[in-house]
Amino acid sequence: MDINVIHEAIQEQDTDLIVVNLFEGVTQPGGATGAVDRALGGAVGDLIAGGDFKGKLDETAVLYPRGAIPARRVLIVGLGKAEEFTLDRVRRASATAARRARDLGARRFATIVHGAGIGGLEAQSAAQALAEGTLLGLYEFNRHKAPSEDQRQVAEMAVVEFDAARLPAIEAGVRAGRAIAAAVALTRDLVNEPPNFATPTLLAQRAHQIAEGRRISVTVLEREEMRELGMGALLAVAQGSDEPPKFIILDYQPEPRQEGATPPTVVLVGKGITFDSGGLSIKPAEGMEEMKSDMAGGAAVMGAVQAIADLNLPVRVVGLVPATENVINGHAYKPADIVRAMNGKTIEIISTDAEGRLILADALVYAKRYAPQAVVDLATLTGACITALGKGQAAGLFSTDDKLAEQLKRASASTGERIWPLPLYDEYSDVMKSDVADLKNSGGRYSGVGASAAFLKAFAEGYPWAHLDIAPMAYLDKDKPYTPKGATGFGVRLLVQFVRDLVAA
């Protein structure tokens, strides 16, 4: 969809539909909404006075101007209570408006920047949130469906601003929002793909496509190279599949800002299990189809690196995605096997369905070679995190570094991608001790989500580290305003904002 920023008044737009807004409880519209109300002879005010529109969050109303203004329709979107207004509500309102415009058959529409006026938000941030919400709200995954005769699509959105002095900030915000939304869409596409398409090989191919035209180099380690490096934990999981594993390295190196300066390095690690049957510790058949989403962490890392490169952020960012299936053949690893990770630690296999932590273990050891300022891993690691925090509510945050945890929490607040800190008690590590190896890969049903993080901690040595268990957030069974049912792309916007905040610090 094309997005253009123009310097005009919203009521003068000759288009299929214009979008204005209203806070809950407002009885007399002001700003751009007030200008539209006056042009329509008080029709917006009449709607409010009649109790037909209250301005509640996600509420919409449509008016037909009948020639009073050039636009064929006026859409009013509710922003909720002014005291509760945030950037995330800009995303929600923008997505709600864009979806309603699509449902009405509008091919073109124009909108003001929600929150940049009476809402009191900074214009660039509000414009970014507008672009993100619009594009993410309109996202659909239809690649494997026959075209629908009634399929409606929005082709163009005009972002209208009357104050010329604010145009550069709004244009910059829209550019950033477009880049970030494209990265989230890439991530959603990868996760939504069926597992016979989204194989480790396809992820590696997508990594090369991401690198084209950007300051990103790609290295893909094959099975023999992993063996030479001693990645025995990753290879143990991979040995049950006929699909070859891939260890994908995306290395974004920014343009030098000043001679001799070395940018900080951040490593992002994403779990890339392209399908998880549970292995010999097989999962129940019901719901197993969602296990195509077990590579959501890896897909989010790939999307984040793309967006960071498109935004030209002055931080070196390395994305590591260990990718394999966890399925069953005659070579599959078994409970009671002992495998050796890249750092030499041995692991007793208790459950072959605790495979994500195994492939992450080798990736976290590999991350140390970059001498990173921080390492953040994302993984759909445990059902226990869903039980703890609730599906669709928040991802779990574990960290060995308080400063890093606070940085991620700030990014979470800004993006609306919620994370919640969980403890890394020493006792969790005790649960993961083995009688016959250095560690075991599962502490049992009642060991809690913290035991999984404690296992990873044993391999995240020599740098500040944070682990995000995104299992509650990666794949949803119901629509939200800018997160359609299915893959959410969770983590991309969070990671991008985290890196942007490092630049600003």
Side-chain angles (χ1 to χ4, degrees):
M1 185 180 76
D2 291 333
I3 303 179
N4 301 303
V5 179
I6 58 176
H7 175 215
E8 288 181 5
I10 189 71
Q11 67 271 20
E12 296 172 359
Q13 297 306 298
D14 185 1
T15 188
D16 295 334
L17 176 146
I18 61 173
V19 181
V20 291
N21 59 51
L22 200 72
F23 281 108
E24 186 175 348
V26 171
T27 56
Q28 186 62 43
T33 308
V36 171
D37 183 44
R38 291 189 294 274
L40 297 180
V44 178
D46 289 345
L47 199 67
I48 298 168
D52 298 319
F53 187 80
K54 301 181 184 302
K56 292 183 178 180
L57 186 64
D58 301 330
E59 184 182 11
T60 61
V62 180
L63 294 172
Y64 292 86
R66 297 179 178 270
I69 59 176
R72 265 67 78 196
R73 305 176 189 85
V74 174
L75 176 66
I76 313 166
V77 61
L79 302 181
K81 296 178 181 178
E83 62 269 23
E84 297 175 357
F85 191 61
T86 63
L87 281 172
D88 202 52
R89 294 209 163 177
V90 176
R91 294 185 194 95
R92 286 187 60 164
S94 303
T96 298
R99 287 182 169 195
R100 188 76 176 101
R102 181 180 62 193
D103 292 345
L104 290 166
R107 292 278 295 165
R108 300 164 53 244
F109 75 93
T111 182
I112 60 174
V113 180
H114 309 299
I118 296 172
L121 298 177
E122 192 271 327
Q124 182 169 334
S125 298
Q128 177 184 324
L130 167 69
E132 288 177 2
T134 298
L135 294 169
L136 297 180
L138 292 175
Y139 172 86
E140 294 178 299
F141 184 75
N142 294 321
R143 180 181 168 190
H144 301 285
K145 295 175 69 174
S148 169
E149 293 182 4
D150 193 39
Q151 189 170 349
R152 298 178 175 184
Q153 290 185 334
V154 178
E156 180 182 343
M157 177 176 74
V159 180
V160 182
E161 175 53 50
F162 189 70
D163 184 353
R166 297 205 296 185
L167 288 175
I170 291 172
E171 289 169 347
V174 167
R175 283 195 301 273
R178 285 180 65 91
I180 293 167
V184 175
L186 163 76
T187 301
R188 289 178 177 177
D189 284 349
L190 287 171
V191 178
N192 279 326
E193 282 285 6
N196 56 325
F197 284 81
T199 62
T201 298
L202 180 119
L203 293 190
Q205 292 170 351
R206 289 289 185 273
H208 284 287
Q209 291 170 5
I210 288 169
E212 290 178 8
R214 298 182 175 94
R215 294 182 62 88
I216 299 172
S217 62
V218 177
T219 303
V220 178
L221 303 182
E222 303 292 345
R223 193 189 302 266
E224 188 54 43
E225 294 166 290
M226 297 179 221
R227 187 173 289 113
E228 291 173 1
L229 287 167
M231 293 183 172
L234 193 166
L235 290 174
V237 179
Q239 71 192 39
S241 173
D242 293 336
E243 288 285 347
K246 307 289 181 180
F247 190 92
I248 301 164
I249 305 163
L250 286 160
D251 191 347
Y252 162 68
Q253 301 212 36
E255 296 180 21
R257 297 294 174 100
Q258 59 187 80
E259 190 173 347
T262 302
T265 298
V266 171
V267 177
L268 307 176
V269 181
K271 174 185 172 183
I273 297 291
T274 58
F275 188 75
D276 182 19
S277 71
L280 287 168
S281 306
I282 195 164
K283 294 177 179 291
E286 185 177 355
M288 194 190 289
E289 69 278 2
E290 283 194 19
M291 289 301 100
K292 69 177 185 177
S293 68
D294 215 18
M295 38 69 74
V301 165
M302 293 170 68
V305 174
Q306 173 180 297
I308 288 163
D310 286 345
L311 294 172
N312 194 29
L313 299 182
V315 177
R316 183 186 182 191
V317 177
V318 180
L320 304 179
V321 182
T324 182
E325 293 181 329
N326 183 33
V327 293
I328 309 168
N329 63 19
H331 303 288
Y333 76 132
K334 305 170 290 297
D337 281 357
I338 293 178
V339 302
R340 187 180 299 274
M342 188 178 170
N343 63 352
K345 290 183 179 179
T346 55
I347 306 163
E348 179 190 9
I349 305 303
I350 302 299
S351 170
T352 62
D353 194 25
E355 84 299 328
R357 65 201 68 179
L358 295 174
I359 70 169
L360 289 174
D362 281 332
L364 290 170
V365 175
Y366 192 88
K368 187 176 180 180
R369 65 181 52 204
Y370 296 100
Q373 179 176 317
V375 174
V376 181
D377 78 69
L378 289 83
T380 47
L381 204 68
T382 67
C385 195
I386 302 175
T387 301
L389 298 178
K391 193 170 183 67
Q393 299 303 318
L397 164 66
F398 299 85
S399 184
T400 57
D401 186 271
D402 291 343
K403 180 181 178 182
L404 176 57
E406 286 301 318
Q407 290 168 332
L408 288 166
K409 286 159 66 176
R410 282 197 298 273
S412 169
S414 176
T415 60
E417 293 204 307
R418 294 193 299 200
I419 58 178
W420 191 257
L422 294 169
L424 263 175
Y425 299 133
D426 291 340
E427 287 80 2
Y428 286 128
S429 295
D430 294 338
V431 170
M432 304 305 285
K433 291 179 179 177
S434 166
D435 294 333
V436 294
D438 296 323
L439 296 162
K440 55 185 178 182
N441 78 327
S442 175
R445 181 178 179 184
Y446 299 110
S447 61
V449 64
S452 308
F455 177 90
L456 294 178
K457 179 183 174 184
F459 301 91
E461 298 177 321
Y463 48 73
W465 165 74
H467 161 58
L468 297 175
D469 190 334
I470 66 171
M473 305 302 295
Y475 198 88
L476 301 182
D477 54 9
K478 62 178 66 175
D479 272 350
K480 292 186 176 182
Y482 63 88
T483 309
K485 180 180 178 181
T488 65
F490 183 92
V492 174
R493 294 184 299 109
L494 173 68
L495 292 175
V496 172
Q497 189 61 45
F498 164 67
V499 173
R500 291 179 95 180
D501 289 346
L502 290 180
V503 174

